[in-house]
């Protein structure tokens, strides 16, 4: 490569440039309903794709192992201060590479291999890193899993209390990836206090809802809170840990040098921007609209005979069991994508099918709400979803719906997209 020759991406690598342009187009032309996805703002994307990429800064602000940190320190301090103010916590570690590394850091901070942990099982809507058997968290630790009740698919606090008393775990996890209901942090805290466990709230899916006041906060109940930063919070890809001052040292040491090397400064800057955006009245309105939209969408789906786990939602997320419709989740998700509606197939509690070919689909409203869609669009969407599920093999119908979806998308430009 010639020094001084610094071509644009389009010139340097037309293949990658072209694929990014196609992905921008896809993100514009489709209704993105994967509940863990969103649109980050242009400001967040600019900070995340900046020259901060070029800097190494192992350590923490004002205690680094490399010189040249004056701007990096200021950025990390801003990110931390903004997040502590936003969520009302004593401390924020913003260096975690993503949600799974953030959760691993909590294990490293509080547990030795073989110690006991209690979390929601993956098939019931928990996360891999809450102790599921194929995850390192289920292999290195003695992981006990709780579930949801068979009759209403709600978290079974009696089971949690029984398991906690029997096993006396060091950590209890309150967090979900496929659970559509508000979490009762008071009940979790009561159980954790009784058995002397540290309560960890993994708020990856709902951190934006909490920041915007649309979901109860675990602050003051869970001593440690982990999250990704790119879901309802609309930040860059990344992770964070919020905690009481009493746990600050342990958490920071677990992240660096326990698990990670140099932090991704560009992601930290993007997170600082996202935290500023999330502190506005506009973001509060957004968080409320995400939940309102999910409720309207759920009602529309129920009215078209689609069964929903727990019978509905009070968050951003809907888990539909398609068994009564006679179509499994995977062919439904494939047909929906052909119609321009992007979801993910997902197990439902007590699923009799395999995870790679399960009975349900998981749907969320964070991304479409970021485009400004509201109740009228949710009603149309519920009908489209039902029409697709009832006609998964009717290619002409799927194409007709895709054209209507595209027309709707053209009316609602997405944040961050140049299209
Ligand atoms: N992969 C995320 C989700 O889709 O929920 C959780 O890590």
């Amino acid at each position: 490569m010639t020094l001084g020759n610094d071509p644009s991406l389009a010139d340097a690598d037309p293949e990658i440039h072209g694929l990014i342009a196609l992905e921008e187009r896809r993100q514009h032309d489709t209704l993105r309903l994967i509940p863990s996805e969103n649109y980050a703002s242009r400001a967040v994307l600019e900070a995340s794709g900046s020259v901060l990429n070029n800097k190494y800064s192992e350590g923490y602000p004002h205690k680094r192992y490399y010189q040249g940190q004056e701007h990096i320190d200021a950025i990390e301090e801003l990110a931390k201060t903004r997040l502590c103010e936003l969520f009302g916590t004593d401390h924020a570690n913003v260096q975690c590479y993503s949600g799974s590394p953030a959760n691993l850091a909590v294990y490293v901070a509080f547990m030795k291999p073989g110690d006991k942990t209690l979390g929601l099982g993956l098939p019931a809507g928990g996360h891999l890193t809450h102790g599921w058997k194929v995850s390192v968290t289920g292999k290195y630790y003695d992981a006990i899993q709780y579930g949801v009740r068979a009759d209403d698919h709600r978290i079974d606090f009696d089971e949690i209390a029984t398991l906690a008393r029997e096993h006396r775990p060091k950590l209890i996890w309150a967090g979900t990836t496929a659970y559509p209901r508000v979490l009762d942090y008071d009940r979790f805290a009561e159980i954790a206090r009784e058995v002397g466990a540290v309560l960890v709230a993994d708020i990856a899916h709902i951190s934006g809802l909490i920041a915007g006041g649309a979901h109860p906060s675990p602050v003051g109940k869970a001593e440690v809170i982990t999250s990704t930063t790119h879901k309802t919070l609309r930040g860059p890809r990344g992770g964070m840990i919020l905690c009481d001052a009493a746990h600050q040292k342990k958490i920071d040491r677990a992240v660096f040098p326990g698990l990670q090397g140099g932090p991704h400064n560009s992601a930290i800057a993007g997170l600082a921007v996202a935290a500023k955006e999330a502190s506005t009245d506009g973001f509060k309105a957004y968080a409320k609209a995400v939940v309102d939209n999910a409720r309207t969408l759920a009602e529309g789906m129920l009215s078209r005979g689609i069964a929903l786990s727990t019978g509905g939602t009070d968050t951003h997320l809907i888990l539909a069991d398609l068994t009564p419709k006679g179509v499994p989740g995977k062919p439904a998700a494939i047909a929906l994508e052909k119609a321009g509606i992007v979801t993910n197939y997902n197990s439902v509690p007590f699923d009799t099918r395999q995870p790679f070919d399960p009975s349900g689909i998981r749907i969320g409203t964070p991304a479409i709400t970021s485009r400004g869609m509201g109740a009228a669009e949710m009603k149309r969407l519920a009908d489209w979803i039902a029409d697709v599920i009832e006609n998964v093999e009717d290619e002409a119908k799927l194409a007709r719906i895709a054209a209507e979806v595209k027309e709707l998308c053209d009316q609602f430009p997405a944040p961050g997209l140049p299209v």
Side-chain angles (χ1 to χ4, degrees), residues 99-301:
S100 295
N103 287 350
L104 276 181
V106 176
Y107 287 96
V108 169
F110 294 99
M111 307 258 288
K112 293 200 176 56
D115 282 351
K116 290 187 177 178
T117 174
L118 178 59
L120 179 64
L122 186 77
H127 191 253
L128 280 168
T129 55
H130 299 171
W132 187 239
K133 57 195 172 195
V134 299
S135 152
V136 73
T137 62
K139 291 180 197 282
Y140 287 9
Y141 303 103
D142 184 0
I144 298 118
Q145 305 267 269
Y146 59 87
V148 292
R149 292 191 295 247
D151 53 354
D152 62 1
H153 294 181
R154 304 268 183 153
I155 284 181
D156 187 346
F157 283 100
D158 292 337
E159 186 193 13
I160 299 174
T162 305
L163 290 171
R165 285 178 195 131
E166 183 187 340
H167 295 283
R168 319 256 343 153
K170 284 204 168 151
L171 297 181
I172 296 180
W173 291 85
T176 64
T177 63
Y179 183 73
R181 296 294 177 177
V182 155
L183 293 185
D184 183 349
Y185 294 118
D186 286 314
R187 191 81 176 90
F188 272 111
E190 199 183 299
I191 296 169
R193 305 279 184 271
E194 184 193 324
V195 301
V198 171
L199 180 63
V200 192
D202 178 345
I203 61 168
H205 266 260
I206 52 175
S207 52
L209 303 185
I210 292 170
H215 187 289
S217 169
V219 174
K221 293 155 193 175
E223 295 99 315
V224 180
I225 298 167
T226 65
S227 187
T228 47
T229 52
H230 45 270
K231 296 186 173 99
T232 47
L233 195 57
R234 285 199 342 207
R237 303 298 292 212
M240 64 183 182
I241 305 176
L242 310 172
C243 64
D244 300 343
H247 297 309
Q248 170 172 347
K249 257 196 183 146
K250 263 189 194 171
I251 290 291
D252 282 353
R253 271 198 207 124
V255 174
F256 173 83
L259 269 179
Q260 298 186 177
H264 293 178
N265 297 308
S266 38
I268 291 172
L271 177 55
V273 176
K276 185 175 178 187
E277 291 175 351
S279 67
T280 58
D281 287 344
F283 193 87
K284 281 192 186 78
Y286 164 73
K288 183 178 177 304
V290 168
V291 175
D292 288 347
N293 277 345
R295 285 210 181 106
T296 307
L297 182 56
E299 278 159 21
M301 290 169 71

Side-chain angles (χ1 to χ4, degrees), residues 1-18:
M1 175 182 278
T2 320
L3 280 179
N5 173 18
D6 192 10
S8 69
L9 178 61
D11 291 335
D13 194 335
E15 261 179 298
I16 289 294
H17 180 262

